[in-house]
Amino acid sequence: MRNVKHPYPINIDLSRKAVAVVGGGAVATRKIRALLDAAANVTVISPVLAPEIDTSQVTWRQKRYETGDIQAMDMIIACTDDAAVNAQITQDATHFQLVNNASDKTQSDFFNVAKLEDETLLLTVSTKGKSPATAKRIKQTLRRWLDDQHWFKGEDQ
Ligand SMILES: C[C@@]1(CC(=O)O)c2cc3[nH]c(cc4nc(cc5[nH]c(cc(n2)[C@H]1CCC(=O)O)[C@@](C)(CC(=O)O)[C@@H]5CCC(=O)O)C(CC(=O)O)=C4CCC(=O)O)c(CCC(=O)O)c3CC(=O)O
Ligand SMILES: NC(=O)C1=CN([C@@H]2O[C@H](COP(=O)(O)OP(=O)(O)OC[C@H]3O[C@@H](n4cnc5c(N)ncnc54)[C@H](O)[C@@H]3O)[C@@H](O)[C@H]2O)C=CC1
């Protein structure tokens, strides 16, 4: 995140929000899964899409990113494999849009978190951007502990 030491953690209902994912590769695939879980209206802007992305669940604009593409979006995830394009997207976003630059943590309004979820629980883990792999490992450890306590009834995620 740009310069905040104590980010504000929230759970967002995205069902009335328009979310742009710029890029259609491995990172986009993971972010889109979580966005669709939260009922977001997802538009993917990318010349190519990974086969795991279901085009019946998103709006696909098959093109390279251009300034103006994100104008009507509430939230934007910049995850192309071109750092200059991701930086341009951060620059194009206005102060009332929330932008995540997946390739540069100093250019994001928010970070994505690792989540563990069933009907009644939503646990999220963040290392404040320091180590996503550690967040994933902590999530897996928590999952085993919750299973041992019979406190978790979710699928593997
Ligand atoms: C800052 C942040 C920004 C953001 O994306 O919001 C960010 C940034 C970066 N991630 C990188 C790498 C990987 N990240 C993952 C996975 C996850 N990354 C997630 C979050 C975040 N990642 C945010 C901070 C989270 C926090 O605060 O802890 C998770 C938690 C949530 C999610 O993405 O949905 C999800 C957990 C999956 C789960 O829950 O199972 C994997 C795959 C894996 O581990 O399986 C790899 C490949 C690892 C490898 O193999 O090296 C790189 C290096 C890129 C490079 O240079 O190559 C950067 C760039 C940088 O650090 O600047
Ligand atoms: N935050 C995170 O969780 C992680 C972030 N990363 C970062 O994310 C970047 C992307 O990683 P992957 O998805 O694995 O790459 P990838 O190579 O699988 O996908 C890149 C996608 O970007 C698209 N693209 C390229 N130029 C574009 C443009 N001008 N406009 C629109 N789309 C464009 C391509 O068509 C492709 O679909 C990496 O370069 C790395 O910096 C990598 C791993 C995890």
Side-chain angles (χ1 to χ4, degrees):
M1 253 162 280
R2 289 192 179 86
N3 47 29
V4 162
K5 239 171 118 182
H6 306 292
Y8 185 63
I10 53 174
N11 297 328
I12 314 184
D13 173 353
L14 289 176
S15 60
R16 296 174 63 246
K17 302 296 173 192
V19 183
V21 175
V22 190
V27 172
T29 301
R30 191 174 65 243
K31 309 294 191 201
I32 289 169
R33 200 176 304 133
L35 290 167
L36 291 175
D37 278 355
N41 303 301
V42 178
T43 297
V44 188
I45 301 161
S46 180
V48 180
L49 280 199
E52 296 83 6
I53 300 173
D54 180 353
T55 49
S56 72
Q57 297 201 71
V58 299
T59 301
W60 181 21
R61 298 187 64 201
Q62 187 170 10
K63 66 190 288 290
R64 299 178 73 77
Y65 174 77
E66 289 167 294
T67 296
D69 287 345
I70 57 166
Q71 215 165 8
M73 298 291 160
D74 300 298
M75 182 184 279
I76 302 111
I77 298 191
C79 57
T80 78
D81 54 357
D82 184 333
V85 172
N86 294 343
Q88 184 64 48
I89 294 165
T90 297
Q91 213 183 319
D92 292 342
T94 59
H95 70 90
F96 50 82
Q97 295 173 307
L98 293 173
V99 62
N100 171 257
N101 180 333
S103 59
D104 184 343
K105 55 188 151 217
T106 68
Q107 294 189 6
S108 295
D109 296 317
F110 68 95
F111 291 157
N112 294 284
V113 295
K115 72 168 179 171
L116 196 55
E117 185 180 12
D118 71 4
E119 278 292 310
T120 54
L121 269 184
L122 173 56
L123 300 185
T124 56
V125 183
S126 169
T127 61
K128 299 188 182 183
K130 290 183 186 64
S131 174
T134 304
K136 185 177 180 178
R137 282 208 339 267
I138 292 171
K139 176 189 82 172
Q140 290 164 337
T141 304
L142 277 173
R143 166 72 205 252
R144 285 192 294 275
W145 181 76
L146 287 166
D147 274 342
D148 289 348
Q149 313 296 317
H150 307 292
W151 273 341
F152 189 75
K153 296 178 179 60
E155 306 291 318
D156 283 338
Q157 44 195 290

